[in-house]
Amino acid sequence: MLLRYQRSVAVSATYPPGAPMIPVCPTTALPPGEAIRVEATEPIAVFNVDGDFYAIDDTCTHQDASLADGWLDGCAVECPLHASCFDLRTGKVSGPPAKTPVRTHRVVVQDGTVYVQPGTAADGAA
Amino acid sequence: MRRTVAVVGASLAGLSAARALRAQCYDGRIVVIGDEAHAPYDRPPLSKEFLAGRASLADIALGTPDDTDLDVEWRLGTTAVGLDHLDRSVRLADGSEVRADGVVLATGARARRLSGSEGLRGVHVLRSLDDAVALREDLATAAHLVVIGAGFIGAEVASTARTLGLEVTVVETQPVPLAGPLGADMGAVCAQLHADHGTRLLVGSGVAGLVGTGRVEAVELTDGTRLPADVVVVGIGATPNVEWLADSGVALGNGVLTDARCATSIPGVVAVGDCAAAWSTSRERHVRVEHWTHALEQPATAVATLLGTDRPAPTPVPYFWSDQYGARIQFAGSRREDDEVRVLEGSRADRSFLAVYERHGDPVAVLGVDQPRLFTRWRRQLRTAVLTHS
């Protein structure tokens, strides 16, 4: 009844601002409505919303929980623990109890692969 | 004349009520009355990060910058002592009163205490920020902690105290901890977390009394055993704060009795959160729910009732969680004693699993231990099922 999810990809390097792009996974490995956690010093969550990809910090700013484990509703992700909501496009809190936004990261799709550029805010992000 | 809504209680349910009033376009005056001096704060961290010293008061504050737009008149450090049902006046301990067109009762619950423990230093309950500060100070110089009650608060305090390096013993009257919320089978699995992390758990043990003069020295069990203790935490449940309503005409039982939409027996007065016992159509009785998510979400229903607007449906799937010894326990749904429990993923031995409670083959509740992703999907699935059937 339930799909099995690939939980995460590991990235060995940490990321300074303006860091190079990190390959995350083939687009086919991240179907719409799904998320993947990119392991780094500060983990990143990459989401597929109806074919558009978004990346934000993976850790909820309210309490330690992985947003890649959360629930996608349009461009909002709900934290799996206390239901804090974040807008994937801006990183802003769209529902309490979180008070602090998450950072967004630029996502690029090239030759069927999803890349994330940590430290570079997504276009239109706050 | 400008209308006034008085919210009595300034914790999560009270703050959520103020937010819901504005979200539902109420533009009158909002007065929030709280008996604690503190602005609204989050209670779950009090037994965990805050108790361990890893979270500050600023970290657990519930208010956000957006909340300044709520334009709330705060009356903090003021206790409500009575409600006049004729003009809906809330009487305060300082002799003043707040006359309101609508009243939201959100006075919460207080920790039950152990009789005979009055005035004995080293004995704590944990409900408020001040409780947590006092307990934290006491734990800093203690070596032996005895926790009375192996419910969520007791288990979380035990877990935190272990990380602080204390010797911890947990005493539970029931044969299986957490059997009420999780069922005996799953309660037993979660209780093994204590032993995994070096906490001694004594089940089926009644407490005869506390030993000590001036300061607690030991906990004496009904079988005569004496457990030495520098600090004792009593976690044996909570009592709704409704005594102040005794002469108000508001119908009371185990809390303020309301219908399914939070209306009390007095027009213009609604009740929410830990102090309220709302009618449950499925269980055919009044049910008082003490869960955090309930206090967050229920006020939207109460406010709609108060404003006479479209009423959002009450939360169909109850949810609560607990963090103990680094394990994340999450539960959603409505469990009954004769439900069958099936582990679908992971294993009990690893303390990482997802278990589904089934009634006549249909899933009715789900328990996850360190399975947040699967759990979230099951919780949503239950919600969809409930909405479809209701």
Side-chain angles (χ1 to χ4, degrees):
Chain A
M1 181 167 8
L2 285 159
L3 292 170
R4 285 186 180 272
Y5 303 95
Q6 183 191 352
R7 293 297 298 266
S8 62
V9 293
V11 175
S12 55
T14 60
Y15 54 90
M21 293 194 290
I22 298 171
V24 176
C25 62
T27 50
T28 49
L30 190 57
E34 291 305 327
I36 191 166
R37 178 176 152 108
V38 182
E39 299 285 356
T41 308
E42 294 175 71
I44 293 171
V46 182
F47 300 84
N48 180 341
V49 181
D50 300 330
D52 293 327
F53 295 89
Y54 300 91
I56 58 173
D57 285 350
D58 183 54
T59 306
C60 179
T61 58
H62 171 242
Q63 226 181 313
D64 188 17
S66 165
L67 294 174
D69 287 338
W71 184 258
L72 262 183
D73 188 2
C75 274
V77 62
E78 183 184 302
C79 172
L81 193 53
H82 303 154
S84 287
C85 276
F86 298 91
D87 189 315
L88 298 179
R89 297 162 297 189
T90 62
K92 283 185 179 169
V93 176
S94 52
K99 292 174 283 184
T100 313
V102 287
R103 290 176 306 177
T104 62
H105 306 280
R106 187 164 168 247
V107 181
V108 174
V109 178
Q110 221 166 47
D111 301 329
T113 300
V114 181
Y115 296 85
V116 66
Q117 190 172 17
T120 304
D123 294 339
Chain B
M1 206 183 76
R2 202 160 177 242
R3 291 179 299 164
T4 297
V5 170
V7 179
V8 191
S11 191
L12 180 61
L15 177 63
S16 299
R19 286 171 174 166
L21 280 161
R22 294 303 183 215
Q24 294 180 36
C25 301
Y26 169 75
D27 63 358
R29 181 174 167 239
I30 301 176
V31 182
V32 179
I33 299 153
D35 66 346
E36 292 182 63
H38 311 288
Y41 61 85
D42 212 11
R43 292 182 200 276
L46 296 180
S47 55
K48 303 182 278 279
E49 300 86 349
F50 187 82
L51 188 61
R54 295 198 313 271
S56 67
L57 178 53
D59 292 331
I60 67 168
L62 278 173
T64 70
D66 287 348
D67 287 333
T68 50
D69 297 340
L70 297 177
D71 191 21
V72 166
E73 238 177 82
W74 296 98
R75 300 270 181 95
L76 299 176
T78 316
T79 307
V81 294
L83 173 71
D84 187 328
H85 70 275
L86 293 177
D87 62 357
R88 287 182 290 267
S89 288
V90 180
R91 287 196 308 282
L92 306 177
D94 62 8
S96 66
E97 62 177 34
V98 177
R99 190 169 296 186
D101 304 284
V103 177
V104 181
L105 304 173
T107 45
R110 62 183 181 278
R112 211 172 283 146
R113 288 168 192 272
L114 203 61
S115 60
S117 66
E118 300 83 4
L120 204 53
R121 278 180 289 118
V123 182
H124 297 262
V125 292
L126 182 50
R127 184 85 191 173
S128 69
L129 178 59
D130 295 342
D131 291 340
V133 169
L135 175 59
R136 193 163 72 179
E137 279 174 12
D138 235 4
L139 289 179
T141 55
H144 298 279
L145 168 70
V146 173
V147 178
I148 299 174
F152 290 123
I153 296 274
E156 289 175 359
V157 169
S159 160
T160 303
R162 286 296 296 156
T163 66
L164 298 173
L166 278 80
E167 291 289 320
V168 182
T169 305
V170 178
V171 182
E172 169 62 47
T173 322
Q174 300 298 315
V176 180
L178 301 174
L182 304 183
D185 191 9
M186 290 295 128
V189 176
C190 292
Q192 287 165 356
L193 286 166
H194 289 294
D196 291 350
H197 294 84
T199 296
R200 184 154 68 123
L201 173 66
L202 303 175
V203 295
S205 303
V207 171
L210 302 178
V211 182
T213 48
R215 185 172 184 96
V216 70
E217 289 164 16
V219 174
E220 185 169 300
L221 304 182
T222 44
D223 67 3
T225 309
R226 280 195 176 194
L227 306 170
D230 311 309
V231 177
V232 172
V233 172
V234 179
I236 54 173
T239 309
N241 294 320
V242 295
E243 292 82 357
W244 69 286
L245 295 165
D247 301 324
S248 67
V250 171
L252 302 175
N254 176 28
V256 178
L257 301 183
T258 76
D259 67 9
R261 301 287 181 174
C262 309
T264 70
S265 55
I266 307 272
V269 180
V270 295
V272 292
D274 291 7
C275 77
W279 180 258
S280 163
T281 42
S282 60
R283 293 160 81 173
E284 296 182 321
R285 62 183 175 88
H286 288 96
V287 178
R288 194 169 66 81
V289 179
E290 292 187 359
H291 303 319
W292 184 94
T293 312
H294 183 73
L296 179 76
E297 296 174 347
Q298 190 199 26
T301 302
V303 161
T305 298
L306 204 57
L307 300 179
T309 51
D310 281 344
R311 298 168 171 190
T315 314
V317 177
Y319 165 62
F320 60 84
W321 78 91
S322 177
D323 290 331
Q324 302 169 21
Y325 303 103
R328 182 152 288 168
I329 298 168
Q330 295 175 287
F331 184 93
S334 300
R335 187 192 70 84
R336 272 197 230 145
E337 213 48 63
D338 48 358
D339 294 339
E340 292 205 14
V341 186
R342 217 153 47 93
V343 172
L344 294 191
E345 188 73 40
S347 79
R348 302 163 196 233
D350 295 342
R351 316 282 188 259
S352 171
F353 61 90
L354 186 99
V356 172
Y357 297 67
E358 292 173 332
R359 199 173 303 155
H360 315 301
D362 293 326
V364 291
V366 59
L367 168 70
V369 176
D370 275 343
Q371 293 282 349
R373 176 178 287 234
L374 266 183
F375 176 84
T376 298
R377 276 146 184 78
W378 269 95
R379 184 183 167 200
R380 289 292 172 157
Q381 198 166 310
L382 286 175
R383 181 175 289 203
T384 308
V386 168
L387 289 174
T388 310
H389 291 134
S390 61

